[in-house]
Structure formats: structure tokens, C-alpha cells
Amino acid sequence: MWRVNTLGFAILGLLARRPLSGYRVAQLMREPIGFFWNAGHAQIHGTLRKLVEAGWAEYRTEPGPGPHDKKLYSATAAGRAALAEWAASPLPTPQPHDELLLRVYNGWLADPDTMRDMLTAEIERREASLAHYLAVQAEFEADGTPTDPRSTRFVDYATVLNGIGSERNVLDWLRWLVTKLRG
Amino acid sequence: MWRVNTLGFAILGLLARRPLSGYRVAQLMREPIGFFWNAGHAQIHGTLRKLVEAGWAEYRTEPGPGPHDKKLYSATAAGRAALAEWAASPLPTPQPHDELLLRVYNGWLADPDTMRDMLTAEIERREASLAHYLAVQAEFEADGTPTDPRSTRFVDYATVLNGIGSERNVLDWLRWLVTKLRG
DNA sequence: CCCAGCATGTAACCAGTTACATGATTGG
DNA sequence: CCAATCATGTAACTGGTTACATGCTGGG
């Protein structure tokens, strides 16, 4: 039988909240959880099929639109139990792939002006992303700061706070770097 | 001809500093640059072969030990030029894969005590990593804080500062999360 | 004598990306 | 009428991991 991988759990985590079509899963993989996990629709459809085979998800068919039937997936009780266990199990040692740091590591060879332009563009990208997270945080807090760690509201809020912290942190570092590049 | 991928540039970045065997490249992919890029030896040997085919690296053969000759790789002038250009070129939008955040996102389903244990273990791992970065930083600053952005010392120092900042940032967040889980 | 470190390579597999293929509905 | 959105799927490929395979040297 198939060994469920991290993407399987990422998808199952969405299905555990509400039933979704594969198309909607792909959308959510861009917008809310895409900030920390990410996949294309081709990979998602295959993984959904495997989740059903494993008995962790099920679907009911609805007609159209288009040449294929729409499939509304949801997590089974077994799927939820497996997800709950996985969420709290020990983390494997991460295998980082940070292209920004790799660029900086090799930046001693590059033209400082071009390098500074690249970093400035990155600062702008991340400022926009920070502004977005701050808006989401404000929305949460307007409805009362979440406190119950067993609610989806709380974990959503926690991931937003993480985003705010890490964007602020890289922004500080990038701004420091840019000043060093200006001689 | 082969389109050089990010791993190719990661390896080339090591070869641009000093000639290395494939084995040594694999070692460095664990210890210093493994903190932001990472690959196994099987992938490295194949990529080295492709870099040579592309004219961006070359090697001279030295005997043994073992059944194969040792190959000492170094970056060619063309390789260095390509690397310098790549380092300052615009970054593609990153596709994050952060398993810690995925665990937290699904943590509302899990037992808070088990969840807290997992996060505590993560705090310990990252405290050790932070202590290591701080020791490296102290060593750098003992020899005089690097300032020239066109030196390898400066870029090495910059990546260490990034490590310190991001570890401190997640540690703050993890400690906040753990207190919320203690209700 | 055994183990750790040095050293390179292949094969099979799993994960992820890109391109191709199809087609209804809704709003401008 | 056209474009965007909803909707699912396959095929070919590239990237990355795990397991297998070999064998020397030096230290305990």
C-alpha cells in the first residue's frame, strides 16, 4: 500500500476542514496555505486518487461542467485520525532550499549595483506580502484574538503571525545588506 | 544543451572558491551551505558531469583510493562568468515547503500535550543551531567584521547573520505557541 | 581485524513541473 | 463572441532520494 507523503497530509488538512473539489484544493494551494506548502493541479489529482485508495478520503460525484464529472472530496474518520497523529509526530530534519541565500553566497562575484537591484526587488515583493499578512492579522483581531489551540481560527492565526515575523526578519536583513552594497 | 539548474549553481559556487572532489562537495552540502541548500552525493556526481559537459567546470584526475580515480573539479572562466550573472539576476517566486507550519496548521486536530512535546523538541534543535551560528559569528568578528561585499568573507558572514535572525525569529514564535498550548 | 573516512558510480524509484486535451457556464 | 472561471485528467520530463556496488588507507 502507498506510503502517504507530506503533500497527502497537506491536502488531507484542507479536506478535514470542509469538502472540496480538486480544483478548489489547487486554488487553496496557491492562496492561503500556499504560503507554506505548494503544488500544481496535476500532482493534486493524483494524490487525491491515492488518498481515496488508502481509505483516508472519499468523494461523491456531481455532474459537470465539462467532459468529466465533478468530484467533491472529504476526509474520512480514518483520514482525520491519521492526520491528527501526523501533526504532532516528530519533525524530520528539514532539507532547506533557499535560493535567495544561495544568490547572496555567490554575490561576491557579481556586480554590486545589479545585486542591489535584485535585492531591492525582493524587498518590494516581501513588503507587499507583509502588508497582506498584517491585513489578515487585523481582521482576526477585530473579531477577538483567537486563544483556543483546538480551533481552526487559532491555528490560522498562528500561521499568519509566523508569516509576519519571518517577513519582518528577512526585510531587516535585506535592508542591512543593501546598505552594505551602497558603500 | 542542458539548462543548468539551481543545484548546478550551488555546486559551481563551491568550485568557484576552491577546487574540490565530488566527495568534498557532498560534505560541504551538509555542513556550511547545507543550511540553505542541500543534495545527496548521487545527485552531485551527475550534476558535476553535466557542468563539465556545459564547459562550466573541468577536472584533473588523481589516482585512488578505491576502484575509481579521484577527480578534482574546478570552475572554468565561463562558469564563473555565468555564476556571477546568475547571482544578481531576478529571483523566481519561491515555492515554499515548510513542514513545521503544515503541522501547526493541522494542530487543531491533535492532542495539545503531544503537540507541545513536538514543538519543544523543535525549540531544542533550533537553539542548538542558533548557538552554532552565534559561535561562527563571534569568530568572524574576532578577526574584524567583514565589510567588502566582493569578498567571500563578507558573503559568508551575511549568510550567518541571516541564520541567526531566522532562528531567533522562529524560536520566539515557537515559544509563544508553546505557552498558548499550556493553557 | 574492524571500522571510519575517502572516493566514485549506477539503478530504481518517488516527487514535482510543464504541456497537452477537453468542455460547460457566466459576465462583459 | 470572447475571455475567465470551473473542472478533471494524461504524458513527458526534470529533480531528488534510497539502495546497491566497489575498494583503498589509516587508526584503534
Side-chain angles (χ1 to χ4, degrees):
Chain A
M1 207 216 272
W2 176 60
R3 247 183 191 79
V4 181
N5 57 23
T6 312
L7 176 60
F9 288 110
I11 294 173
L12 202 57
L14 294 169
L15 300 182
R17 287 159 174 244
R18 57 219 168 295
L20 294 167
S21 68
Y23 184 86
R24 281 287 295 152
V25 169
Q27 273 189 328
L28 298 171
M29 280 283 167
R30 275 180 246 119
E31 184 50 39
I33 83 153
F35 299 122
F36 50 89
W37 206 272
N38 177 297
H41 86 277
Q43 213 187 345
I44 289 164
H45 283 301
T47 305
L48 281 168
R49 190 178 38 76
K50 287 180 195 164
L51 283 172
V52 171
E53 278 166 24
W56 288 10
E58 59 194 1
Y59 63 88
R60 54 191 173 82
T61 307
E62 285 179 17
H68 304 281
D69 281 339
K70 173 175 166 172
K71 292 175 179 174
L72 245 204
Y73 291 90
S74 41
T76 62
R80 279 161 179 276
L83 181 61
E85 206 203 315
W86 173 81
S89 67
L91 272 170
T93 55
Q95 293 170 191
H97 290 96
D98 188 327
E99 192 162 337
L100 174 60
L101 278 168
L102 202 54
R103 303 295 190 96
V104 171
Y105 180 76
N106 292 303
W108 64 284
L109 285 161
D111 170 52
D113 287 343
T114 320
M115 198 74 196
R116 209 190 49 229
D117 290 348
M118 184 270 280
L119 295 173
T120 304
E122 190 61 13
I123 286 171
E124 276 158 29
R125 229 183 41 77
R126 287 182 185 262
E127 273 170 347
S129 157
L130 174 60
H132 179 241
Y133 294 150
L134 286 171
V136 177
Q137 181 197 25
E139 252 182 272
F140 267 109
E141 291 178 358
D143 294 346
T145 307
T147 49
D148 176 12
R150 307 213 67 169
S151 69
T152 56
R153 265 195 95 225
F154 176 81
V155 294
D156 289 353
Y157 180 66
T159 58
V160 171
L161 290 191
N162 179 284
I164 291 169
S166 61
E167 294 298 1
R168 280 199 173 132
N169 175 64
V170 273
L171 277 167
D172 284 350
W173 180 75
L174 284 167
R175 288 190 190 115
W176 167 82
L177 242 187
V178 165
T179 63
K180 294 288 159 184
L181 252 48
R182 248 201 282 270
Chain B
M1 208 218 271
W2 176 60
R3 249 184 189 79
V4 180
N5 57 23
T6 312
L7 176 60
F9 288 111
I11 293 173
L12 203 55
L14 294 170
L15 300 181
R17 288 161 174 241
R18 58 220 168 294
L20 293 167
S21 68
Y23 185 87
R24 281 287 294 154
V25 170
Q27 274 188 327
L28 297 170
M29 280 285 167
R30 274 180 247 120
E31 186 49 38
I33 82 153
F35 299 124
F36 49 89
W37 206 271
N38 176 296
H41 88 275
Q43 214 186 344
I44 289 164
H45 284 299
T47 305
L48 280 168
R49 189 177 41 76
K50 287 181 195 165
L51 283 172
V52 171
E53 279 166 23
W56 288 10
E58 58 193 2
Y59 63 88
R60 53 189 174 84
T61 308
E62 284 179 17
H68 305 282
D69 280 339
K70 176 176 166 173
K71 292 174 179 174
L72 246 202
Y73 291 90
S74 42
T76 62
R80 278 160 180 277
L83 181 60
E85 207 202 315
W86 173 81
S89 68
L91 272 170
T93 55
Q95 294 171 189
H97 290 95
D98 188 328
E99 192 163 335
L100 173 59
L101 278 168
L102 202 54
R103 302 295 190 96
V104 171
Y105 180 76
N106 292 303
W108 64 284
L109 285 162
D111 170 52
D113 287 343
T114 319
M115 198 73 196
R116 209 189 51 228
D117 289 348
M118 184 270 280
L119 295 173
T120 304
E122 190 62 12
I123 286 171
E124 276 158 28
R125 229 183 41 79
R126 287 180 185 265
E127 275 171 346
S129 157
L130 173 60
H132 179 240
Y133 293 152
L134 287 172
V136 176
Q137 181 198 27
E139 251 181 275
F140 266 109
E141 292 180 357
D143 295 345
T145 307
T147 49
D148 176 13
R150 306 212 67 170
S151 68
T152 55
R153 265 195 93 225
F154 176 81
V155 294
D156 289 353
Y157 180 67
T159 57
V160 171
L161 290 191
N162 179 282
I164 291 169
S166 59
E167 294 299 1
R168 279 199 174 131
N169 177 64
V170 273
L171 277 167
D172 284 350
W173 180 73
L174 284 167
R175 289 190 189 114
W176 166 82
L177 243 187
V178 165
T179 62
K180 292 287 158 184
L181 253 48
R182 245 199 284 271

